[in-house]
Amino acid sequence: MSDIINPDRRRFIGAAAGGIALAQLGLAGPAQADSFRGKATVAALKAGEHTSFGPLKQIDAGLLNVGYAETGPADGPVVILLHGWPYDIYSYADVAPALAQAGYRVIIPYLRGYGTTRFLSKDTVRSGQPVAVSADIIALMDALKIEKATLAGYDWGARTANIIAALWPERCKAMVSVSGYLIGSQEAGKMPLPPKAELQWWYQFYFATERGREGYAKYRHDFAKLIWQIASPKWAFDDATFDRSAQAFDNPDHVDIVIHNYRWRMDLAKGEAKYDAFEQKLATFPVITVPTITMEGDANGAPHPEPSAYARKFSGKYEHRTITGGIGHNLPQEAPQAFTQAVIDVSAG
């Protein structure tokens, strides 16, 4: 089965940009040996078995009217599942009902610039700054009167969870983070990497140009499908699966958010001054103290760091799991059983 958990595997094929950057910043260290084993075992899940969430909900939260799916008992422990780019909430179509069946209240929001999430004011800066995206989730928790939740995500979603765990640890019970520690800074983003590592970020350089902005606006669906294929080279997703998620990219703010996010990372776009104090703290690459399971697929074609490069950035109970069987970047959708098990383990551990 593709969901086999192999926590001892520590090496990945090729050099990853994130891992090299962490090593250059002196953050690499030995993996910790804590384990979350011995928890309830998730029943077998078939990837792609579920294709809908039912009616979505909308709520005003901070700067946004957030569209989100919700399932599970209203009084259950809360899990917030965070998607990445260029993906959407359907990455969790199989994970969410399994967690609900296990007794969790599950919230799956569209991030700013995706799906049915909209800005409340036309005058709000269409920023993709990672800390702004993270502040959106805190505002959503406030609006839903959720004091504390287990956060789980991949790609932008993992970065968002990392930032919340670092800046607002009192709101984060535990975390599942695909590809590990993803907190960055503009200064680190300017650091040149070896050529093979830079090549993996080709789209970031493309987005730095106006041609890239126009190209993404015109061909965003084709662009997203290409990223899916590169990032998960062994995932045989069908057109229906992709088209279901691609609808989320028709959001009127999607292009602005995506382009600003990648330009901000390279210090080619300004952030918002109100987040400067947060950025100063994040630039120190703070240690995350909440219980954490990091995960990686054995066939992830997207840039990602080696587990050994970030292990010491987690000071609480910690475990890394590598998922075998040709699992790519969109781990929760490709390996829902392993992802669900990690959420249950870390939240109970």
Side-chain angles (χ1 to χ4, degrees):
M1 292 179 62
S2 63
D3 285 9
I4 294 173
I5 298 172
N6 180 1
D8 296 322
R9 183 178 168 98
R10 288 289 184 263
R11 298 191 60 81
F12 293 86
I13 299 173
I20 294 172
L22 285 173
Q24 290 178 340
L25 290 165
L27 302 184
Q32 299 179 45
D34 290 338
S35 175
F36 290 88
R37 306 214 173 279
K39 310 305 177 186
T41 301
V42 177
L45 292 179
K46 181 181 179 182
E49 183 175 354
H50 298 88
T51 58
S52 70
F53 291 105
L56 297 182
K57 298 182 178 182
Q58 300 286 146
I59 190 170
D60 288 351
L63 301 173
L64 304 170
N65 178 260
V66 178
Y68 66 101
E70 181 173 359
T71 187
D75 60 349
V78 180
V79 174
I80 300 177
L81 303 175
L82 301 166
H83 69 80
W85 170 86
Y87 306 92
D88 82 326
I89 64 174
Y90 284 99
S91 291
Y92 298 105
D94 294 310
V95 171
L99 287 173
Q101 187 174 7
Y104 292 87
R105 178 188 180 192
V106 186
I107 309 291
I108 316 102
Y110 279 114
L111 300 183
R112 56 168 62 191
Y114 294 81
T116 60
T117 292
R118 297 289 188 275
F119 285 91
L120 293 172
S121 171
K122 63 181 178 58
D123 298 322
T124 302
V125 177
R126 269 40 178 179
S127 168
Q129 189 175 357
V131 72
V133 178
S134 304
D136 291 343
I137 303 305
I138 293 296
L140 176 62
M141 293 174 68
D142 289 344
L144 293 173
K145 296 181 172 54
I146 296 170
E147 180 178 352
K148 203 166 190 175
T150 294
L151 304 176
Y154 68 101
D155 196 86
W156 284 26
R159 189 182 301 268
T160 299
N162 285 191
I163 291 172
I164 292 172
L167 295 179
W168 299 282
E170 72 280 1
R171 308 301 296 272
C172 184
K173 177 183 178 182
M175 181 173 65
V176 173
S177 179
V178 176
S179 297
Y181 187 91
L182 297 179
I183 292 174
S185 71
Q186 287 186 317
E187 194 62 31
K190 293 188 292 185
M191 184 184 302
L193 302 172
K196 285 185 179 181
E198 295 280 28
L199 180 62
Q200 293 185 305
W201 290 103
W202 64 272
Y203 53 87
Q204 182 169 263
F205 295 103
Y206 182 62
F207 289 161
T209 69
E210 285 307 300
R211 177 188 175 105
R213 172 191 282 275
E214 293 175 9
Y216 187 61
K218 184 176 181 178
Y219 299 111
R220 74 186 78 172
H221 288 199
D222 292 342
F223 199 104
K225 181 174 281 190
L226 176 62
I227 294 294
W228 280 36
Q229 293 165 342
I230 293 172
S232 299
K234 296 186 179 181
W235 182 28
F237 61 88
D238 56 22
D239 287 342
T241 298
F242 174 76
D243 292 342
R244 187 162 48 248
S245 289
Q247 296 178 58
F249 315 144
D250 292 331
N251 183 295
D253 301 306
H254 179 76
V255 173
D256 286 342
I257 297 298
V258 171
I259 297 300
H260 183 268
N261 177 280
Y262 286 103
R263 289 184 180 181
W264 179 89
R265 296 192 199 188
M266 299 178 73
D267 199 19
L268 299 175
K270 293 183 178 179
E272 297 181 76
K274 64 183 179 180
Y275 297 123
D276 284 353
F278 291 138
E279 293 294 358
Q280 290 172 10
K281 181 174 181 179
L282 294 173
T284 68
F285 300 95
V287 169
I288 290 174
T289 60
V290 306
T292 299
I293 292 176
T294 59
M295 307 185 75
E296 195 60 82
D298 65 342
N300 185 1
H304 61 279
E306 291 273 353
S308 60
Y310 53 70
R312 79 178 196 185
K313 298 307 293 180
F314 301 97
S315 64
K317 191 173 183 181
Y318 172 74
E319 181 183 341
H320 176 77
R321 299 178 180 181
T322 297
I323 313 306
T324 63
I327 303 303
H329 190 58
N330 186 0
L331 195 151
Q333 193 163 2
E334 298 176 60
Q337 182 174 339
F339 193 89
T340 302
Q341 186 68 63
V343 172
I344 291 176
D345 288 350
V346 79
S347 62

